[in-house]
Amino acid sequence: MSANVVEIQGLDRRFGKRTALEGIDLAVHKGVVLGLVGANGAGKTTLIKHILGLLKAQTGTVRVFGLDPVRHPAEVLGRIGYLSENRELPEWMRVGELLRYTQAFYPAWDTHYAQDLLTLFELNRGQKIKTLSRGQRAQTALLIALAYRPDLLLLDEPSSGLDPVVRRDILSAIIRTVADEGRTVVFSSHLLDEVERVADVVVMIHEGRTVLKDSLDAIKATHIRLTVRFPQPLTSPPSLPGVLSCTGGPQEWTYVCHNGLKDLQQEVDAVHGLVVDSAVPTLDEIFVSRAKGHTSPEGSLCDR
Amino acid sequence: MRSIALAMTWEYWHRNVRLIVGVITTGAALLIIPFGRELLENPILTGVRVLHVIPLLTAMIGQVVVALSTTHKDRPEFPQELYTKPVSTVTLVALRMALGISAAAGMYLGQALLIWAASGVALPLWWGPLVALAMTAAWTHALIWSLPGCILPQVIAAFLAIFLCVSYYGRHVASLVELGGDLSGPPTRMARGLYGMGMVALTGLAYAVAVVGVRFDRRGDRISLARVGAWISDRIYAIRRTDRPFGSARAAQFWCEWRQHWGLLLPLLNLLALSMYAALAMGTRKVSLEVDGPIFLQSLAFINIVFYPILVAMVVNTQERGGSKDLFWATRPASDNMLLWVRLRVAIASLLASWGVWLAGALVIWGLLWVTGQRYDVMNIVTPNLSRLRYFFFYAGLAALAMWTALGIVGSLHVTGRKLVAALWLTPIVVPVAWNILSRNYHLAAPLVAQVQAITPWAIGILCLAGTVLVYGVAVYKGRISRWLPYAAFGVYLVLVLCQVVFPYSDKSLVEGKPNPIVLSLGLAALPLVPLALGPLAIAWNRHR
């Protein structure tokens, strides 16, 4: 059996004429926090639904804990804690009833941990789900996803609906705790600062395709943001190796490149430029550059 | 837009145009299709009541739907966005109510126009139906706006308004229409002024009620029946609250499905029917236990056999992906088969509970009849013909099979989560009704009718058999059922064939004069086996898309 918690190979998915996922290959190792990054509609939720077995692979294979989630839903879902994007919960239940109901499905349900989370989130057992605020709803859904200490925690846009304090202090802490216990977390988000804070590995999806997949450290080490000044104003800047995007002009241009500074310096010198600033780009800058580079026709990477 | 009235009309029209056109065409079709020939040849034959009651009721129900479908579909109320406009409540209500009344009138007029164009029959218009519609629409809107946020009371109030208005109209105006009788005459002669004025006055009263209700709503003082409901619900929860864990996931799922899908609905309906009958039997001399008791119980049993399985299958299995409950349901760590069979168990439990209530009622009536020495009537409850009592177990088994088949097939179609597929269960009802209407009203050639009637049993029988084989084939191919199930099903099929075909043929009187009953019976005998393969296929199709 593979050591990977999730293993996806050559996954394609179409909805009518629209391609939602194309050629996705993904392997998630045990104990890793994987951030799934992409704009709205990029295919993050579709990918998560394949992991849950709610969507059947049209092409390719999906294995979770070595099993096909469509063939073995009980075995796979029993080890996954899932927080859906829209926090789907049965409206008619009360919080206490939901806990009692959910507990029956998970032999590993930790009553004390559930109670701790209930206290931490200040939730009332007697309150009906339909009367919960958006934030309370998210907390309730998170509680029932965590209370049985799942091997894989699958969070679809976990920050949505949470206020900044809860988002930073609770969510991040929980994700890190889960990972420190040797369990695996896959979470999708379009808030890149959040991903940057929590994730070990980042997968960027754009229009159904993987545009970047690496550890956060490796991504940071292999990308650079350069600001280059040229002697004369230029209508279009000279191209540099590994350039993903460039903005600015006419005399000073900022490049985001997939390359080291050492290699680029020579190229900048060759085009009579002067590097006035170099820094590690944020994940946000890398994502925007990658996404833009992916959709723009060749040679139109620069914005003025 | 230069005026508020114009802006509101524009918004109202754009929001409701499809619904209004739909009501007009549906209402006209409901009249033209079944009565088309009569309308052309002899409109009086169709009867004045049918002629104008169908469009009138269609318009009345249509306007309720329009009134309920506001910005928040699950929370009908006076359009909240209008509260921020610099317009007084009196004007807002007047404009909005006028639009509601116009829509109702438009629905009726549109139908009248279509019927007139198709058949030349002029429906009564002005001083009758239209005033009644105005009164009904005014009360409907007044009640819906005065009870915001309480959908059930709103719907009940709206239909109560229709019932009361139609009663008033039927008592004072429709009878005059019939007395007048001359449909080709000027429509303004339909009602006497006094009754019409009564309806106008009631319309004005509805407007006053609406103004008061909307005023409360606008300043945030809602009459919240929902709060009362929540209070009662909280008290019930406090009494029966338990933190004791469920014994198994299956038990938890059963509890969830039972509560979520109103498992108690059908037993309660039975109880309600029995209570109403008991109240009538005790309070009215017209109802006598010995005469009506058996008839009542037989009717209720018929409803339990024919309609309840369909109802329970629809209620228990309604699945809409994308809705909040369904993703939660789909992500439970349970096998497809477990989720499916728990649902069917809930349906079966609901049906059994209904029969339990029925049996309790029957026992009471039996007891009373026995005490009063009317033993013949006791037997009469079981079967109307004592000579057929020996077939009791056969009929009971057949009834159980019919219920299981309806429940299983309709439930499986619903559990696919596809509305169009779910609606397929209507086919066996719609096709014969449509054929009946066509053959009776449009003088279809006799040989054609005879041919269709001769072929139908063959076609149904073959279709059932072929469908069953196909469903089992696909289920095995997709790995949704085990490979031995088709063999087991075939064994059960043979037993059913023996019971369903051989047993009735032992008594010729049961099958004499019926066309091709053997082929039909062979096909129908396969139907109870369909859910065993269709259910797993359907749930997998829904859960793993």
Side-chain angles (χ1 to χ4, degrees), chain B residues 343-359:
Chain B
R343 287 200 160 203
L344 287 178
R345 263 184 60 209
V346 166
I348 291 166
S350 186
L351 273 177
L352 287 179
S354 306
W355 279 105
V357 174
W358 181 90
L359 195 64

Side-chain angles (χ1 to χ4, degrees), chain B residues 478-522:
Chain B
K478 298 240 174 198
R480 292 291 160 202
I481 55 172
S482 65
R483 290 191 175 273
W484 59 264
L485 187 63
Y487 299 108
F490 186 68
V492 176
Y493 174 69
L494 289 179
V495 175
L496 289 176
V497 166
L498 275 176
C499 294
Q500 227 167 310
V501 180
V502 177
F503 185 65
Y505 272 82
S506 64
D507 184 345
K508 290 276 182 203
S509 68
L510 289 172
V511 290
E512 261 173 9
K514 292 175 185 166
N516 300 306
I518 294 180
V519 181
L520 190 62
S521 299
L522 283 174

Side-chain angles (χ1 to χ4, degrees), chain A residues 19-121:
Chain A
T19 303
L21 293 175
E22 194 177 346
I24 299 283
D25 293 309
L26 183 68
V28 185
H29 305 295
K30 193 168 180 277
V32 157
V33 177
L34 184 139
L36 215 49
V37 175
N40 289 331
K44 303 186 296 285
T45 301
T46 306
L47 182 59
I48 287 175
K49 284 188 173 176
H50 277 92
I51 297 173
L52 288 164
L54 301 181
L55 292 174
K56 208 162 41 176
Q58 286 172 337
T59 315
T61 56
V62 178
R63 292 287 177 270
V64 184
F65 305 116
L67 298 168
D68 177 356
V70 173
R71 291 260 159 221
H72 306 278
E75 293 83 346
V76 170
L77 291 170
R79 296 173 69 184
I80 295 179
Y82 170 56
L83 178 73
S84 64
E85 187 179 5
N86 296 319
R87 322 297 184 227
E88 282 87 357
L89 295 171
E91 303 283 321
W92 57 272
M93 277 192 205
R94 289 166 196 274
V95 173
E97 288 176 329
L98 179 66
L99 297 188
R100 184 169 165 250
Y101 165 75
T102 312
Q103 181 180 1
F105 288 87
Y106 303 98
W109 182 272
D110 186 337
T111 313
H112 297 295
Y113 186 37
Q115 186 55 48
D116 289 347
L117 289 171
L118 202 69
T119 313
L120 178 71
F121 295 148

Side-chain angles (χ1 to χ4, degrees), chain A residues 13 49-50 52-57 69-71 73-75 77-79 82 84-85 87-98 100-106 125-128 137 144, chain B residues 230 233-234 237 240-246 248-250 252-253 255-257 259-260 321-328 330-336 338-339 477-480 542-545:
Chain A
R13 180 78 197 193
K49 284 188 173 176
H50 277 92
L52 288 164
L54 301 181
L55 292 174
K56 208 162 41 176
V70 173
R71 291 260 159 221
E75 293 83 346
L77 291 170
R79 296 173 69 184
Y82 170 56
S84 64
E85 187 179 5
R87 322 297 184 227
E88 282 87 357
L89 295 171
E91 303 283 321
W92 57 272
M93 277 192 205
R94 289 166 196 274
V95 173
E97 288 176 329
L98 179 66
R100 184 169 165 250
Y101 165 75
T102 312
Q103 181 180 1
F105 288 87
Y106 303 98
R125 275 181 179 271
Q127 195 171 356
K128 276 210 169 174
R137 229 182 141 80
I144 60 164
Chain B
S233 167
D234 286 347
Y237 176 71
R240 66 173 190 195
R241 178 188 156 168
T242 171
D243 294 330
R244 196 160 47 89
F246 287 103
S248 65
R250 202 174 284 268
Q253 192 59 25
W255 167 84
C256 174
E257 301 280 4
R259 291 275 305 273
Q260 184 167 320
R321 280 296 289 267
S324 62
K325 279 169 281 192
D326 309 308
L327 195 55
F328 180 79
T331 51
R332 292 309 87 206
S335 67
D336 296 347
M338 188 270 228
L339 290 177
Y477 174 72
K478 298 240 174 198
R480 292 291 160 202
N542 185 9
R543 199 182 183 198
H544 317 288
R545 299 201 166 198

Side-chain angles (χ1 to χ4, degrees), chain A residues 104-157:
Chain A
F105 288 87
Y106 303 98
W109 182 272
D110 186 337
T111 313
H112 297 295
Y113 186 37
Q115 186 55 48
D116 289 347
L117 289 171
L118 202 69
T119 313
L120 178 71
F121 295 148
E122 297 173 357
L123 293 167
N124 175 6
R125 275 181 179 271
Q127 195 171 356
K128 276 210 169 174
I129 305 284
K130 70 176 174 191
T131 63
L132 296 176
S133 69
R134 218 167 122 71
Q136 286 175 318
R137 229 182 141 80
Q139 288 167 331
T140 308
L142 193 60
L143 191 163
I144 60 164
L146 286 167
Y148 48 96
R149 301 186 186 277
D151 293 327
L152 170 62
L153 189 60
L154 213 49
L155 310 172
D156 196 357
E157 297 284 355

